[in-house]
Amino acid sequence: MAVTRMRDLRSALLFAGVVWALQMAWQEAQATRWGVWLIQDLTVGTLVRAIHLLSPDLGVQGVGARVVAPGGGIQIRNGCDGTEVWFLLVAALVAFPFGWTRRWVGVLLGTVWVFGLNQLRLLALFYAFRHDPALFNQLHAVVAPIVLILAILAFVMALKQWEPARARVA
């Protein structure tokens, strides 16, 4: 019993330490070319292309970290880019006793998962802001963060159940 508690404590401390380290690194990286690329080109650029597909007549544009359109747009601020959710995922994958193959698969697939979910969240926020500011506030402050955290939990639990194909001995 004591061994289990110590392992759980170690995992919790490792999780918190990884989240903290990634957050500190991101604070330093935001103003770099990589940080600007992540927010302006990848996050805003992808969001603008998605809005163009859904509503081509809106005239939406990406201007720096903002999605601008007649009638209202949104600004992608610190935390809106999905990095903090990704930090939670990576920390969970590091802290949970996965093998290295499963961890790397989890990071790769999880990165796509987090980015896709965050883009859906930003799409919902864009349209909510334009049509119902009260809904925007609820989505932004309560609903979307809970959904993203539950989606990360579901991803990690699914990864836990996945068994990679093993080489067969002939």
Side-chain angles (χ1 to χ4, degrees):
M1 188 69 141
V3 171
T4 302
R5 285 187 186 157
M6 286 304 293
R7 187 178 63 227
D8 291 347
L9 178 61
R10 181 193 150 281
S11 292
L13 291 172
L14 183 58
F15 177 85
V18 170
V19 170
W20 178 82
L22 289 170
Q23 187 64 49
M24 293 300 102
W26 178 236
Q27 293 302 316
E28 294 299 318
Q30 282 182 338
T32 67
R33 285 186 182 148
W34 187 84
V36 170
W37 172 82
L38 179 70
I39 293 171
Q40 294 181 12
D41 298 331
L42 188 62
T43 304
V44 171
T46 304
L47 181 60
V48 166
R49 286 188 293 280
I51 295 168
H52 275 297
L53 287 173
L54 296 171
S55 305
D57 56 336
L58 277 184
V60 68
Q61 296 178 353
V63 179
R66 296 180 302 137
V67 178
V68 179
I74 60 174
Q75 181 168 351
I76 309 302
R77 296 180 182 217
N78 186 12
C80 295
D81 50 24
T83 52
E84 291 168 347
V85 175
W86 186 77
F87 298 163
L88 293 174
L89 171 70
V90 171
L93 294 173
V94 169
F96 199 84
F98 286 132
W100 285 106
T101 300
R102 195 176 308 208
R103 279 192 178 116
W104 285 114
V105 168
V107 168
L108 293 173
L109 294 177
T111 298
V112 173
W113 176 245
V114 168
F115 181 76
L117 289 173
N118 194 60
Q119 287 295 305
L120 290 173
R121 178 186 76 87
L122 292 172
L123 270 172
L125 290 173
F126 173 79
Y127 286 108
F129 181 78
R130 295 173 57 81
H131 299 290
D132 188 348
L135 176 61
F136 171 87
N137 289 332
Q138 284 296 309
L139 283 175
H140 187 258
V142 180
V143 176
I146 291 170
V147 168
L148 289 174
I149 290 169
L150 291 175
I152 293 305
L153 177 62
F155 180 87
V156 171
M157 296 310 293
L159 193 64
K160 182 179 183 273
Q161 299 303 315
W162 173 69
E163 286 295 327
R166 304 215 187 274
R168 296 187 180 179
V169 178

